[in-house]
């Protein structure tokens, strides 16, 4: 039996690399697996040798102990890999194909999937609509920060790259197709970004930078990226964005200095529930800050794209309401300004093929934009610690050194 190692959550701020079972075409019991999914047959699945798998801010929420994730959960939902085995129900995906794996697990058969709402598939998670690899309350599909991973409904879920050699040359760009590039694009797109738009992106982490790059692709005339972290703001400036340092106070003043008016056309929340206050309150967690601020700075009739994660269970929240995802949102302000809001998981399949084509045609270099940094699987604990410290990097795990680029975190 081929060995398989994986990154597992071991409690707040603790991850480790340990041996796990090699995948089979059946979902077995384990940490976080819904009892109703135990024994589920996956003849439509494929087993992938993981080429790259990224550390995501959503993973970091779990590792910080800010969710109800169980100890022992195998992490990782941003996966790119080579098919090494297919189940008897797979017709089109072949052994040897190099593929991007959408972080959404979708059946392709239910009403939502047929309408393109693959982030809320009805058939893969007994707890609620929507599922993902290696994530809390998502059905228990084993995560991909591992040597090998099982992908169900392979013909539907996998995006096969047309040329393996070309794909490997651009792998630090293409690895972002599993999540953050489509997620950032979804944020900018649902915020209504179009030619000439002014766009405010809250958060200069990898998703925020992906949203900023996406706004540029969509034709924005000005993209403003806000954060507290100076290194991340500098990374935003490197890719041609204006920046807003919210530690200095109300972002409207800085927006007006940049644009001549205190409002923008489009707002994107790439922060989520671990947001901090602005100005003198920047050292204090205030989970509704970004949403309320976006309503203030987005012009009447504008839209808010909200790819930032909000959860229904946050044991580390500062008050009882926030522990169940209940926040003090100024909905009256948004209503008065006729704002529209788009929330929830990005339906990756809606965007990933087009974004792949943009990468392959050299129209965008998302890996450079988010400062992709390739490390080995054994360096994952250090990568998590560095990412938590706020470094302006997107860590890409390469379990087999398939890229030849592995270096220390």
């Amino acid at each position: 039996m081929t060995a398989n190692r994986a990154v597992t959550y071991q409690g707040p701020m603790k991850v480790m690399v340990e041996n796990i079972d090699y995948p089979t075409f059946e979902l077995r019991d384990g940490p976080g697996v819904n009892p109703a999914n135990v024994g589920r047959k996956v003849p439509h699945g494929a087993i992938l040798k993981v080429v790259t798998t990224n550390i995501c801010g959503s993973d970091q929420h779990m590792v910080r102990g800010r969710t109800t994730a169980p100890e022992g959960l195998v992490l990782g939902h941003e996966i790119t890999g080579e098919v090494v085995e297919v189940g008897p129900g797979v017709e089109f995906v072949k052994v040897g194909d190099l593929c991007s794996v959408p972080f959404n697990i979708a059946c392709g058969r239910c009403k939502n999937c047929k309408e393109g709402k693959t982030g809320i598939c009805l058939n893969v998670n007994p707890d609620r609509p929507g599922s993902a690899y290696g994530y809390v309350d998502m059905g228990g599909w084993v995560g991909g920060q591992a040597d090998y991973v099982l992908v169900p409904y392979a013909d539907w879920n996998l995006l096969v790259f047309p040329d393996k050699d070309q794909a490997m040359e651009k792998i630090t760009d293409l690895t972002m197709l599993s999540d953050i590039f489509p997620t950032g694009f979804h944020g900018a797109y649902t915020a209504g970004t179009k030619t000439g738009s002014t766009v405010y992106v809250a958060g200069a982490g990898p998703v925020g930078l992906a949203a900023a790059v996406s706004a540029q692709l969509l034709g924005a005339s000005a993209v403003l990226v806000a954060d507290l972290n100076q290194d991340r703001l500098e990374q935003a400036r490197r890719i041609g964005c204006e920046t807003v340092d919210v530690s200095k106070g109300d972002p409207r003043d800085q927006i007006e200095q940049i644009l001549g008016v205190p409002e923008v056309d489009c707002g994107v929340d790439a922060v989520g529930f671990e947001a901090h206050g602005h100005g003198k309150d920047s050292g204090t967690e205030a989970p509704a800050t970004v949403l309320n601020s976006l309503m203030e700075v987005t012009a009447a009739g504008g839209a808010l794209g909200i790819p930032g994660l909000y959860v229904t269970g946050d044991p580390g929240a500062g008050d009882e309401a926030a522990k169940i995802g209940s926040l003090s949102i100024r909905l009256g302000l948004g209503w008065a300004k006729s704002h529209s809001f788009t929330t929830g998981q990005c339906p990756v399949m809606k965007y990933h093929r087009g974004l792949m084509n943009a990468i392959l045609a050299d129209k965008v270099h998302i890996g450079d934009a988010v400062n992709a940094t390739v490390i080995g699987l054994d360096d994952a604990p250090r990568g998590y610690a560095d990412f938590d410290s706020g470094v302006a990097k997107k860590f890409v795990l390469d379990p087999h050194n398939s890229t030849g680029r592995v270096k220390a975190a």
Side-chain angles (χ1 to χ4, degrees):
M1 179 63 70
T2 304
N4 193 21
R5 300 178 308 144
V7 181
T8 61
Y9 170 66
Q10 298 295 328
M13 299 312 301
K14 296 178 182 178
V15 298
M16 66 180 294
V17 179
E18 58 182 338
N19 294 322
I20 65 168
D21 291 337
Y22 186 83
T24 64
F25 295 106
E26 178 179 321
L27 189 54
R28 293 172 289 196
D29 199 7
V33 180
N34 189 294
N37 262 351
V38 174
R40 183 170 181 162
K41 306 297 184 184
V42 192
H44 43 67
I47 295 172
L48 272 61
K49 177 182 178 181
V50 176
V51 172
T52 55
T53 175
N54 315 326
I55 296 176
C56 181
S58 298
D59 298 320
Q60 199 72 56
H61 292 309
M62 288 189 292
V63 171
R64 290 185 185 124
R66 297 300 297 270
T67 72
T68 56
E71 293 184 10
L73 183 74
V74 177
L75 299 169
H77 56 270
E78 299 190 10
I79 307 162
T80 305
E82 181 182 357
V83 176
V84 294
E85 188 176 355
V86 297
V90 176
E91 184 176 2
F92 302 110
V93 171
K94 306 298 183 187
V95 170
D97 284 344
L98 184 61
C99 310
S100 178
V101 184
F103 81 88
N104 321 112
I105 300 172
C107 72
R109 296 153 166 81
C110 71
K111 173 180 180 291
N112 285 349
C113 283
K114 289 180 179 181
E115 292 177 352
K117 302 172 184 175
T118 54
I120 44 174
C121 174
L122 299 173
N123 287 332
V124 289
N125 181 4
D127 283 328
R128 66 182 73 166
S131 190
Y133 304 88
Y135 211 82
V136 60
D137 296 333
M138 288 293 181
W141 300 93
V142 178
Q145 288 176 11
D147 289 316
Y148 298 90
V149 68
L150 171 68
V151 175
Y153 304 102
D155 282 328
W156 170 251
N157 283 304
L158 291 175
L159 174 67
V160 179
F161 299 136
D163 184 307
K164 285 179 69 173
D165 291 337
Q166 181 191 27
M168 287 305 299
E169 290 175 2
K170 297 178 179 294
I171 194 65
T172 54
D173 295 307
L174 294 170
T175 190
M176 306 304 167
L177 290 173
S178 57
D179 182 355
I180 68 160
F181 196 12
T183 293
F185 192 92
H186 182 60
Y189 180 81
T190 57
T193 307
K194 57 187 178 183
T195 302
S197 296
T198 56
V199 184
Y200 178 89
V201 179
V207 170
L209 294 174
V213 168
S214 298
Q216 293 170 338
L217 274 177
L218 288 165
S221 60
V223 181
L224 288 65
V225 178
D227 208 294
L228 302 161
N229 183 303
Q230 298 305 312
D231 289 341
R232 290 182 170 183
L233 289 173
E234 177 57 31
Q235 183 66 18
R237 286 190 286 271
R238 289 192 191 105
I239 62 171
C241 299
E242 302 285 350
T243 56
V244 174
D245 183 349
V246 294
S247 70
K248 295 180 178 178
D250 190 335
R252 288 177 297 185
D253 296 334
Q254 296 176 64
I255 291 171
E256 186 165 20
Q257 290 174 10
I258 295 167
L259 298 178
V261 293
E263 292 182 320
V264 294
D265 301 317
C266 314
V268 180
D269 175 2
V271 178
F273 74 104
E274 288 193 77
H276 284 68
H278 295 163
K280 61 182 177 58
D281 298 320
S282 61
T284 304
E285 190 168 299
T289 296
V290 170
L291 290 172
N292 288 330
S293 176
L294 281 171
M295 286 185 277
E296 290 177 351
V297 305
T298 303
L304 276 61
I306 309 173
L309 177 67
Y310 289 87
V311 295
T312 56
D314 176 11
D319 61 69
E320 292 304 311
K323 287 181 179 180
I324 59 170
S326 182
L327 309 180
S328 297
I329 303 298
R330 290 190 66 193
L331 186 58
L333 176 61
W335 189 93
K337 297 178 80 171
S338 295
H339 286 157
S340 59
F341 303 77
T342 301
T343 65
Q345 288 188 28
C346 164
V348 170
M349 294 177 72
K350 182 175 181 177
Y351 308 108
H352 67 172
R353 187 175 299 276
L355 295 176
M356 174 190 74
N357 289 337
I359 289 169
L360 295 178
D362 279 329
K363 300 300 183 183
V364 62
H365 300 92
I366 186 66
D368 290 340
V370 300
N371 197 12
T373 303
V374 181
I375 61 176
L377 196 68
D378 288 326
D379 279 327
R382 199 147 40 107
Y384 269 98
D386 286 354
F387 189 42
D388 188 65
S389 74
V391 296
K393 295 180 180 180
K394 173 70 171 177
F395 287 107
V396 176
L397 304 179
D398 178 353
H400 305 278
N401 197 17
S402 302
T403 67
R405 306 179 195 182
V406 171
K407 56 185 177 182

